[in-house]
């Protein structure tokens, strides 16, 4: 198969843009109303922001159940339970949550969406862009994460290490490019663990630290470079064959009047914001997004000293993430037209939470990081992905955009008063 990722088709988890839409009607509706999109996106951001404020208030009366984040990394080398919790915590570290309970919520929501989808229910959306590959995506990503923890977990005795990085790049992308099967699953898992984690370990002291940048810059840069290396190697493996994209189908007609269209746009934008919370996992599902938010909220209330590295800034991170997604979805909504896609999730897992942690959760950090990330990350990802040849997944462009936009946003916002 020959296929190149043009700018209009630069979706991160599907080589066919027709597979990226969760609702068939969204492929046929043409331009969306700006008012409906903004109302849905910012309405959902307001809901999540209200939830974050509630968490902040409830945490002041937290019972402090369970162990906190401090000492967790070191405990993994002597306790199998701590190591298992770290493994599950890695599943939500791309969202800056680092919570095992949040991971269970993420998996529960995705499983429920898969179950509902298998029974023809549309309310739960789709998983992995309607490809039917979600079980393989999850299996390959989890296996790659396990290999990373087994190979580099011994280093946790010195404190935090980027064991999570293979989860959200090479392995799941390999499944979406090459299809189902144990050969693809295991190949992607091994390549991801063998390239991205070592590169992150290298880039943290050589790139992030000397430049005074947060470690996330090194981690997402490692994902991008490691993905390039992995996809170059994959092209030379005889047992991997790029899968053929499925033809686009249209099962619903666009609404006939302005009110249905407006309401549809409101619904689409609200769901799109929730989907951004699991886009980095290659799930892109609104139910999974809602469940991971609720689960990490419960974890925070039970023990504010665990989630988000024990900083107590989880509510600030949640609000910044919802806001940056809402701004991005509203600003770049035209790129979603007719089954298209935009990397509005990129700031959700990089710029927005990184600026919150860098500057202590101030309003300037939350709002400034959300705005800068939403403005910079999607077009950078789109531009880079447009140059990728066949067999090179757009996750390369998306993670590169995260590194660039975070490296720009953090020092720039540091010039502002906090």
């Amino acid at each position: 198969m020959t296929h190149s990722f043009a700018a209009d088709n630069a979706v991160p988890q599907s080589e066919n843009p027709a597979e990226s839409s969760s609702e068939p009607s969204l492929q046929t509706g043409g331009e969306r109303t700006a008012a409906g999109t903004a109302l849905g996106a910012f309405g959902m951001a307001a809901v999540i922001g209200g939830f974050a404020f509630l968490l902040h208030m409830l945490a002041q009366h937290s019972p402090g159940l369970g162990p906190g984040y401090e000492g967790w990394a070191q405990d993994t080398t002597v306790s199998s339970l701590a190591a298992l919790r770290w493994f599950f915590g890695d599943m939500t570290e791309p969202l800056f949550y680092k919570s095992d309970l949040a991971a269970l919520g993420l998996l529960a929501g995705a499983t429920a969406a898969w179950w509902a989808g298998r029974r023809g229910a549309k309310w739960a959306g789709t998983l992995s862009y309607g490809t039917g590959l979600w079980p393989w995506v999850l299996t390959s990503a989890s296996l790659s994460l396990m290999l990373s923890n087994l190979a580099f977990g011994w280093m946790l005795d010195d404190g935090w290490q980027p064991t999570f990085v293979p989860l959200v790049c090479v392995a799941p992308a390999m499944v979406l490019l090459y299809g189902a099967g144990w050969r693809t699953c295991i190949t992607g898992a091994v390549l991801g663990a063998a390239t991205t984690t070592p590169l992150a370990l290298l880039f943290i002291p050589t790139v992030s630290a000397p430049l005074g940048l947060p470690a996330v810059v090194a981690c997402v840069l490692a994902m991008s470079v490691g993905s390039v290396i992995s996809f170059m190697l994959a092209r030379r493996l005889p047992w991997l064959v790029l899968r053929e994209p499925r033809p686009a189908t249209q099962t619903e007609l666009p609404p006939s009047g302005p009110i249905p269209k407006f309401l549809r746009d409101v619904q689409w934008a609200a769901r799109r914001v929730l989907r951004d919370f699991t886009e980095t996992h290659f799930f892109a599902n609104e139910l999974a997004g809602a469940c991971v938010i609720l689960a990490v909220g419960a974890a925070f209330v039970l023990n504010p000293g665990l989630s988000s590295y024990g900083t107590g800034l989880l509510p600030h991170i949640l609000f910044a993430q919802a806001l940056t997604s809402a701004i991005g979805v509203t600003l770049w909504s035209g790129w979603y037209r007719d089954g298209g896609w935009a990397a509005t999730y990129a700031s959700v897992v990089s710029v927005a939470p990184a600026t919150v942690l860098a500057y202590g959760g101030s309003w300037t950090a939350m709002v400034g990081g959300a705005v800068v990330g939403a403005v910079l990350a999607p077009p950078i990802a789109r531009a880079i992905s447009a140059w990728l040849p066949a067999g090179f997944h757009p996750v390369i462009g998306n993670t590169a955009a995260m590194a660039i936009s975070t490296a720009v946003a953090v020092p720039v916002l540091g010039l502002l008063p906090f």
Side-chain angles (χ1 to χ4, degrees):
M1 180 184 76
T2 58
H3 180 78
S4 62
F5 295 101
D8 289 341
N9 299 336
V11 294
Q13 283 83 7
S14 170
E15 72 270 27
N16 181 0
E19 296 176 351
S20 67
S21 178
S22 65
E23 299 170 90
S25 62
L26 296 181
Q27 299 179 23
T28 62
E31 293 286 352
R32 296 189 177 87
T33 59
T37 300
L39 179 60
F42 286 99
M44 181 55 68
V47 170
I48 296 175
F51 178 67
F53 179 75
L54 178 63
L55 294 180
H56 176 71
M57 300 300 294
L58 292 176
Q60 298 179 23
H61 308 283
S62 170
L65 297 178
Y69 179 79
E70 186 177 358
W72 186 6
Q74 292 82 355
D75 289 344
T76 61
T77 60
V78 295
S79 168
S80 298
L81 178 59
L84 180 62
R85 290 182 56 242
W86 186 272
F87 171 82
F88 280 104
D90 273 352
M91 289 189 173
T92 57
E93 183 144 10
L95 287 163
F96 286 68
Y97 299 164
K98 193 62 179 184
S99 165
D100 46 340
L101 180 57
L104 296 179
L106 170 71
L107 296 175
T111 302
W114 173 255
W115 179 87
R118 297 283 287 179
R119 285 154 181 77
K122 296 181 179 180
W123 54 267
T126 61
L127 277 160
S128 299
Y129 315 94
T131 59
L133 293 171
W134 176 72
W136 289 104
V137 165
L138 176 62
T139 301
S140 186
S142 299
L143 179 58
S144 194
L145 178 62
M146 182 184 69
L147 292 175
S148 177
N149 274 265
L150 290 174
F152 303 101
W154 60 272
M155 301 176 67
L156 291 169
D157 189 48
D158 294 327
W160 177 87
Q161 303 294 334
T163 51
F164 74 97
V165 291
L167 177 74
V168 289
C169 50
V170 176
M174 199 75 73
V175 170
L176 289 173
L177 282 177
Y178 291 96
W182 284 109
R183 289 183 178 182
T184 303
C185 177
I186 294 175
T187 301
V190 172
L191 288 176
T195 58
T196 57
T197 306
L199 284 172
L201 291 168
L202 172 65
F203 290 160
I204 289 173
T206 60
V207 177
S208 288
L211 297 176
L213 297 172
V216 64
V217 174
C219 292
V220 292
L221 181 61
M223 294 178 195
S224 185
V225 176
S227 295
V228 171
I229 296 172
S230 296
F231 297 138
M232 288 178 64
L233 293 172
R235 298 176 77 176
R236 292 164 171 78
L237 299 178
W239 60 86
L240 294 180
V241 179
L242 288 172
R243 72 185 184 93
E244 293 289 342
R246 296 182 301 184
T249 58
Q250 296 180 357
T251 59
E252 298 181 34
L253 295 175
S256 58
I259 295 180
K261 176 176 174 56
F262 176 82
L263 294 179
R264 187 203 67 177
D265 294 341
V266 172
Q267 181 191 55
W268 172 83
R271 293 174 72 143
R272 180 63 250 180
V273 170
L274 285 177
R275 291 182 75 189
D276 273 354
F277 280 81
T278 61
E279 186 87 44
T280 191
H281 295 85
F282 292 68
F283 295 178
N285 178 265
E286 48 269 55
L287 180 58
C291 286
V292 73
I293 291 171
L294 291 173
V296 77
F300 181 74
V301 172
L302 291 174
N303 189 348
L306 175 63
S307 304
S308 299
Y309 314 104
T311 60
L313 294 175
L314 174 72
H316 306 73
I317 289 174
L318 276 175
F319 173 67
Q321 289 175 319
L323 181 60
T324 198
S325 176
I327 295 171
V329 168
T330 303
L331 187 61
W332 309 110
S333 61
W335 290 348
Y336 283 104
R337 185 179 59 192
D338 299 326
W341 188 85
T344 51
Y345 85 99
S347 179
V348 173
V349 294
S350 59
V351 182
T355 53
V356 168
L357 292 180
Y359 299 112
S362 69
W363 279 102
T364 305
M366 288 189 293
V367 177
V371 172
V372 174
V375 170
L376 289 182
I380 294 175
R382 188 178 180 88
I384 296 174
S385 295
W387 288 92
L388 297 177
F392 286 79
H393 198 279
V395 71
I396 295 169
N398 300 331
T399 49
M402 296 174 198
I404 295 169
S405 53
T406 305
V408 171
V410 171
V412 168
L413 290 176
L415 301 176
L416 302 177
F418 284 89

